[in-house]
Amino acid sequence: MTDPSLAAALEKADGTLDASLARLFELLRIPSISAQPAHAADCARAAEWLRAELSTLGFAAKVCPTPGHPMVVAHDAADETDMRPHVLFYGHYDVQPTDPDTLWDAPAFDPYEKTLEDGRRVIVGRGTADDKGQLMTFLEACRAWRSVSGRLPVRVTVLIEGEEESGGANLLPFLKAHAEELRADIALICDTGMADVRTPGITTGLRGLVGEEIRITCATHDLHSGLYGNAARNPIELLCRALASVRDGQGRVTLPGFYDGVRVPDEATRAAWRRLYPDDSGLLAPVGLSVAAGEDGFSAIEQTWCRPSFEINGISGGYEGDGFKTVLPSRAMAKVSFRTVPGQDPQAIRDAFRAHVRALLPADATVSFASHGASTGFAVPEDGPFLPAALQALTDEWQVPAVTIGSGGSIPVVAEVEEALGMASLMIGFGQADDRMHSPNEKYDMQSFHKGIRSWIRVMAALAQARRPA
Amino acid sequence: MTDPSLAAALEKADGTLDASLARLFELLRIPSISAQPAHAADCARAAEWLRAELSTLGFAAKVCPTPGHPMVVAHDAADETDMRPHVLFYGHYDVQPTDPDTLWDAPAFDPYEKTLEDGRRVIVGRGTADDKGQLMTFLEACRAWRSVSGRLPVRVTVLIEGEEESGGANLLPFLKAHAEELRADIALICDTGMADVRTPGITTGLRGLVGEEIRITCATHDLHSGLYGNAARNPIELLCRALASVRDGQGRVTLPGFYDGVRVPDEATRAAWRRLYPDDSGLLAPVGLSVAAGEDGFSAIEQTWCRPSFEINGISGGYEGDGFKTVLPSRAMAKVSFRTVPGQDPQAIRDAFRAHVRALLPADATVSFASHGASTGFAVPEDGPFLPAALQALTDEWQVPAVTIGSGGSIPVVAEVEEALGMASLMIGFGQADDRMHSPNEKYDMQSFHKGIRSWIRVMAALAQARRPA
């Protein structure tokens, strides 16, 4: 029973897909890497591109400076008689670094289309899946609605930040400072994945992130490993000892108190997840793995959706170049992170990790730590009218029942929007497990882009029909 | 009771020290880094510089190609009536890489003089101590003798290679192929250190070296550490586990059979070493350390001179740049080495290490190894007339009794000269513990250079007097 204007908007989106893709490619070509100061001007360019784009879509759009990269804020015209549900759409224009560049098939900011061996058509480039392809599905849905109706089904405010990949320290202060302007009935975020290539999902669980950098120093300078080897303390060896002992041989973190506050999901939830993912190969096989490496007793999906974990993200020390060098280095470094679940205390975890390392250090070793963020896991409340309405809209588009799913990843804005604006979020995304986010040759399925636009067209109409909360 | 020609040669060396230094600086300015292909032409330039230098010293000198960097071979004119003892002087013109370049006070190949806080005058630059400053002490001694006598006290053949810092794979084959031309009564090597800043030493013990590169791979590509963290195997974690368990908490290597064939020196030797080095601070304090990190029951000097050891020389994996990146890397790498002592089997050690790593690997991890050399420790025989003659010459120069000492380092030519040419070696060097070989701001004491030249002048005269072996 499709509303004729809905049908028209969907038809419009289908008919202008090439132009939508061209607009996405323009945004993809801007190397907006927020973690690298050399690309600060590119981040500003991306913000300006979005401001101009939103303006053509009929928004009152502006670029707002922050101590870091700017925010883009856009408002849909509305007066006090406007009864439409009000949504805040959030996305981020910044992208991950591209290293190692040698592993990309083509330059990371030169997007192109390609057909995979299984026949899927994809768009390749940094930011295609995270987050530019995704956020453009929403903007293109707005374009389609504006084109056939002149007016969006829901009242839309747009917030696009530029530091999600590099800690996002300026987001919470910005939300608080602009709360009146940004508050809405519900937040919409397009930065997550589908349950599988056929099954749309709304993400209702996220993990948090505690990031740490650790540096161990022994001798005052690099030493000759013959003249000093055995007598001089080796910081790489100490680092290996500290990191290797954070988890035991069964994938469990050994830090005291680490699992305090962690609850196992109820059996109904675990059963629902088992129906979605009957075995570990769904997650692991596409990346060349076969055995879930986390705690015994939990499936691979459970290990990433509802169990906290420890990862070593990078390690460095001594001679790393070609050939060999008989050096006994003065220092060694690692970057590590803990993924947290609801109920854990990120600061206590950081303290326990630092205590663990310090306790292992012998004489002649000093350690310094640097913090890279601290958040706990988040569970989105599943009550209210918007979630079921959105699920139905997705089901209508994909012709497969949409499901609620978890995620191993962290999206800080969800907790921050709740803290600063008192709002819940709907995380509706069209990413796939093999998108290679954060890796070389990142891609986004053309089907995700096209049906993602159509999905948002439907979701906006469905939210407009949902009972607006009192 | 100094021979008048000896006195003249010493005086000549003193009077032309500035010119000697200028010649050394020319050689130092050539960036002859053998491990890096980009410097292959510089290595050839250094060889040619030495050929020309040796020619001006009256040698018949030539540059000999090898599959790698060339050798320099020079012969002193001699006929069948020549009764002088025949020495083969060995040195190497290649130097270590200079990373990290940011830690050098001045460019590594722009040598300069400097006065240290304790008043010592030093020459700073890559290769000053290892090995250019050292080999030039011998060449300048030849120059002084040639200048005052027209003839050297001993018959000299010179062999200077260009790959000592990068495995020296071409040396043994070259020695074997040119055995007739290179065989002499004794080899002289200037690539070791003094017992301390006042006490000259002749090195009679060396450790060997077994170098390994190890790469562990898990997933087919780098993964997002949120989406996969906990479920996906982390190669850095596996590498840390493998490396941290090679030694136990008491500094002892845990590999089965590692200590087979290792003998503890007799009490007389250990007592002599204790007299030279009454406590560990002599070795450790100048580099900011205080506690010997090797096996309990052995002093720091013993740990480096007569105990085998394991070092991690480099480690690399994941994101190592500025800031943070939530990556779960696909692979990780380390470069390690074992220092061996006489009696050990380097191939067995390599096999035991590889078996240790393989045994620790769980599912979803593959490992590859690359070998970077394998040698065992070497004990130079202390019989024959040349060693006492050389010790006396050093005592005469430094006015302190010269001693025999060990070394933690490896100098492959000593074992190879014995294997290919049936010759023993005298390792007479003037390096100091704080020379920072293999590190930024490598230096060589001006006193070592000046008195090193004088020492060789004396040693050559002393060897000429020693009874020539039958």
Side-chain angles (χ1 to χ4, degrees), chain A residues 271-293:
Chain A
W273 292 351
R274 276 194 296 274
R275 283 192 297 275
L276 272 178
Y277 303 99
D279 59 68
D280 291 345
S281 63
L283 181 68
L284 299 179
V287 297
L289 302 172
S290 63
V291 174

Side-chain angles (χ1 to χ4, degrees), chain B residues 69-316:
Chain B
H69 300 301
M71 305 277 182
V72 183
V73 177
H75 294 288
D76 190 13
D79 60 30
E80 63 279 2
T81 67
D82 194 329
M83 296 305 296
R84 294 175 298 168
H86 183 190
V87 304
L88 171 67
F89 179 83
Y90 161 92
H92 66 89
Y93 62 77
D94 65 308
V95 298
Q96 277 277 325
T98 58
D99 69 280
D101 289 323
T102 51
L103 295 186
W104 287 79
D105 295 336
F109 295 104
D110 205 355
Y112 60 99
E113 292 183 48
K114 171 181 168 160
T115 304
L116 300 183
E117 279 181 24
D118 63 7
R120 276 184 294 156
R121 199 93 184 116
V122 301
I123 310 156
V124 185
R126 173 57 90 234
T128 46
D130 180 23
D131 181 47
K132 291 172 177 175
Q134 300 253 66
L135 77 85
M136 287 301 282
T137 57
F138 184 84
L139 265 54
E140 291 297 324
C142 290
R143 182 180 284 271
W145 272 116
R146 192 76 84 189
S147 171
V148 307
S149 283
R151 195 169 188 260
L152 305 176
V154 289
R155 176 183 166 195
V156 174
T157 297
V158 177
L159 170 65
I160 306 181
E161 74 153 319
E163 293 174 314
E164 195 270 352
E165 302 288 8
S166 52
N170 294 307
L171 180 59
L172 184 59
F174 188 89
L175 294 174
K176 288 179 169 172
H178 300 268
E180 284 310 306
E181 183 183 350
L182 297 174
R183 190 173 288 112
D185 296 322
I186 189 84
L188 303 177
I189 297 165
C190 194
D191 202 10
T192 50
M194 294 175 60
D196 60 49
V197 72
R198 307 169 311 126
T199 312
I202 296 185
T203 299
T204 53
L206 294 168
R207 293 199 290 187
L209 178 66
V210 177
E212 277 280 272
E213 187 161 326
I214 158 179
R215 293 180 178 270
I216 297 181
T217 303
C218 295
T220 50
H221 54 275
D222 289 354
L223 304 175
H224 186 292
S225 72
L227 302 185
Y228 287 92
N230 210 8
R233 198 74 67 188
N234 189 318
I236 304 181
E237 187 177 43
L238 299 181
L239 188 60
C240 286
R241 246 184 222 137
L243 299 181
S245 53
V246 174
R247 296 212 297 174
D248 64 23
Q250 287 72 50
R252 197 169 163 82
V253 173
T254 63
L255 304 182
F258 183 74
Y259 292 95
D260 291 354
V262 176
R263 294 183 308 142
V264 178
D266 57 39
E267 183 50 35
T269 302
R270 298 183 78 178
W273 291 354
R274 276 194 297 273
R275 280 191 298 276
L276 273 178
Y277 303 99
D279 58 69
D280 292 345
S281 63
L283 181 68
L284 298 180
V287 298
L289 302 172
S290 63
V291 173
E295 300 156 276
D296 296 342
F298 293 96
S299 68
I301 278 294
E302 288 173 333
Q303 288 173 11
T304 60
W305 284 6
C306 70
R307 300 304 291 170
S309 66
F310 169 73
E311 291 309 322
I312 308 168
N313 306 109
I315 194 166
S316 173

Side-chain angles (χ1 to χ4, degrees), chain A residues 207 220 222 226 229-231 234 237 247 287 290-291 293-294 311 313 315 317 319-321 323 325-327 335 364 438-439, chain B residues 207 220 222 226 229-231 234 237 247 287 290-291 293-294 311 313 315 317 319-321 323 326-327 335 364 438-439:
Chain A
R207 293 200 290 186
T220 51
D222 289 354
N230 208 8
N234 188 318
E237 186 177 45
R247 296 211 297 174
V287 297
S290 63
V291 174
E311 291 309 324
N313 305 108
I315 194 166
Y319 183 65
E320 303 180 40
K325 188 175 180 192
T326 49
V327 62
K335 297 176 198 271
D364 291 340
H438 296 203
S439 296
Chain B
R207 293 199 290 187
T220 50
D222 289 354
N230 210 8
N234 189 318
E237 187 177 43
R247 296 212 297 174
V287 298
S290 63
V291 173
E311 291 309 322
N313 306 109
I315 194 166
Y319 184 65
E320 304 180 38
T326 50
V327 61
K335 298 175 197 270
D364 290 340
H438 296 203
S439 296

Side-chain angles (χ1 to χ4, degrees), chain A residues 32-35 43 69-71 90-97 129-131 135 160-171 189-192 206-207 209 339 372 409-414 416 427 437-438, chain B residues 224 324-326:
Chain A
S32 47
I33 303 172
S34 57
C43 290
H69 299 302
M71 306 277 182
Y90 162 92
H92 65 90
Y93 62 76
D94 66 307
V95 298
Q96 277 277 324
D130 179 23
D131 182 47
L135 77 85
I160 307 181
E161 74 153 319
E163 295 174 314
E164 194 272 351
E165 302 287 9
S166 53
N170 294 308
L171 180 59
I189 296 165
C190 192
D191 200 9
T192 50
L206 293 168
R207 293 200 290 186
L209 177 66
R339 293 286 174 166
H372 287 282
S410 309
I411 303 179
V413 65
V414 174
E416 292 175 351
M427 285 180 278
M437 290 189 297
H438 296 203
Chain B
H224 186 292
F324 204 77
K325 188 177 181 193
T326 50

Side-chain angles (χ1 to χ4, degrees), chain A residues 198-245:
Chain A
R198 306 169 312 126
T199 312
I202 296 185
T203 299
T204 52
L206 293 168
R207 293 200 290 186
L209 177 66
V210 177
E212 277 280 273
E213 188 162 326
I214 158 179
R215 293 180 177 272
I216 297 181
T217 304
C218 296
T220 51
H221 55 273
D222 289 354
L223 305 175
H224 186 291
S225 72
L227 303 186
Y228 288 92
N230 208 8
R233 197 74 66 188
N234 188 318
I236 302 181
E237 186 177 45
L238 299 181
L239 189 59
C240 286
R241 249 189 218 132
L243 299 181
S245 53

